[in-house]
């Protein structure tokens, strides 16, 4: 019985591998919506009191990440005492 299951499991594993890798390749001539050269801005919220050098760190991260992978990050720290936080 174990000999019968092995080819089935191998076939299912191969199918799963092929299906999971189909979205990894981009065909030539296919344009994406965000491929205009402008960096994508990611907004990251955290809870806590804002650090004094948060803007300096944020600027340095963006200086490195924007040319390399086309992403900028905006860190927003929300204080514990601000209204609207339960």
């Amino acid at each position: 019985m174990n000999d019968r299951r092995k080819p089935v499991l191998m076939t299912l594993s191969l199918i799963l591998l092929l299906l999971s890798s189909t979205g990894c390749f981009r065909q030539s001539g296919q344009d994406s919506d965000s491929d205009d050269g402008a960096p994508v801005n990611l907004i990251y919220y955290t809870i806590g009191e804002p650090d004094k050098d948060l803007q300096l760190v944020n600027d340095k991260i963006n200086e490195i990440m924007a040319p390399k992978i086309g992403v900028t990050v905006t860190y927003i720290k929300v204080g514990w005492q601000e209204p609207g936080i339960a």
Side-chain angles (χ1 to χ4, degrees):
M1 181 167 172
N2 202 10
D3 292 332
R4 291 182 192 171
R5 293 175 68 185
K6 189 173 183 179
V8 172
L9 289 175
M10 292 293 282
T11 304
L12 289 175
S13 297
L14 181 62
I15 290 171
L16 181 62
L17 177 67
L18 291 174
L19 288 176
S20 65
S21 65
T22 56
C24 297
F25 302 103
R26 180 176 167 181
Q27 296 178 3
S28 62
Q30 189 179 31
D31 293 331
S32 70
D33 294 336
S34 64
D35 196 16
D36 60 358
V40 175
N41 186 34
L42 304 175
I43 301 173
Y44 182 72
Y45 286 90
T46 59
I47 298 176
E49 297 305 317
D51 300 317
K52 294 177 185 175
D53 58 351
L54 179 63
Q55 189 59 46
L56 178 66
V57 172
N58 195 32
D59 292 341
K60 191 63 176 177
I61 289 172
N62 291 335
E63 179 183 316
I64 295 169
M65 299 304 283
K68 284 191 176 188
I69 61 173
V71 172
T72 59
V73 178
T74 301
Y75 283 100
I76 299 175
K77 281 197 138 180
V78 180
W80 291 104
Q81 303 301 322
E82 291 189 31
I85 299 176

